[in-house]
């Protein structure tokens, strides 16, 4: 998401909005640049996706890594979303209990087809399971 698209979403130019925190918006742009199922991204790739200068992306990726929102791949030096991002999702999942909505459907499907079903979130190459239903 570029600053221009941020301005379109908020209805104001960020530079003209004294309540708008540009540094925070840029950090969130970096986090939003990752697509599901892809590997790590370099600072150059993040800069291309966000439209931010590479030096800015380098500082943001360093900060986000120190805070655990990004994890650095030892081999490639690239970045992937870190586990601290799950703490942000906790608030969302707490307000929208996806397990409560999906659970009955998953149980019915498991029973009808005599299989197990699971609901999970991808975290790098790992999956965090939110709910699992087993057939009898």
């Amino acid at each position: 998401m570029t600053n221009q698209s941020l301005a379109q979403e908020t209805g104001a130019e960020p530079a003209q909005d004294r309540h708008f925190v540009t540094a925070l918006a840029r950090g969130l742009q970096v986090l939003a640049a990752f697509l599901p199922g892809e590997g790590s991204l370099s600072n150059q790739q993040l800069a291309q996706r966000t439209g931010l200068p590479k030096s800015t992306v380098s500082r943001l990726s360093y900060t986000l890594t120190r805070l655990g929102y990004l994890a650095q791949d030892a081999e490639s030096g690239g970045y992937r979303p870190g586990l601290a991002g799950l703490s942000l999702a906790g608030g969302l999942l707490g307000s929208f209990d996806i397990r409560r909505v999906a659970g009955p459907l998953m149980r019915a499907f498991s029973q009808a087809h005599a299989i197990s079903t699971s609901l999970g979130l991808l975290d790098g190459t790992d999956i965090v399971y939110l709910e699992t239903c087993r057939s009898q």
Side-chain angles (χ1 to χ4, degrees):
M1 181 179 292
T2 65
N3 283 339
Q4 183 179 12
S5 62
L6 285 170
Q8 290 170 349
E9 285 188 22
T10 62
E13 289 294 325
Q16 298 171 350
D17 185 350
R18 66 183 185 92
H19 297 289
F20 190 87
V21 181
T22 302
L24 175 59
R26 288 178 173 177
L28 293 173
Q29 280 180 264
V30 169
L31 293 175
F34 292 90
L35 301 174
E38 71 183 350
S40 62
L41 298 175
S42 67
N43 280 331
Q44 182 66 40
Q45 291 169 309
L46 289 168
Q48 289 171 347
R49 287 192 181 180
T50 60
L52 297 171
K54 187 176 177 223
S55 60
T56 299
V57 169
S58 294
R59 291 191 311 276
L60 290 169
S61 61
Y62 172 81
T63 302
L64 291 167
T65 300
R66 292 284 309 266
L67 296 173
Y69 292 101
L70 291 180
Q72 192 167 24
D73 182 52
E75 283 185 31
S76 70
Y79 298 92
R80 61 178 173 75
L83 290 175
L86 290 176
S87 66
L88 299 175
L92 172 66
L93 291 175
S95 64
F96 176 70
D97 190 3
I98 193 165
R99 294 182 341 213
R100 183 181 52 78
V101 173
L105 299 170
M106 292 170 59
R107 281 188 287 285
F109 189 84
S110 291
Q111 296 304 317
H113 300 285
I115 61 170
S116 296
T117 59
S118 296
L119 175 65
L121 292 173
L122 189 63
D123 178 42
T125 58
D126 299 323
I127 295 177
V128 178
Y129 287 97
L130 303 176
E131 185 74 38
T132 298
C133 296
R134 302 187 195 316
S135 66
Q136 291 180 335

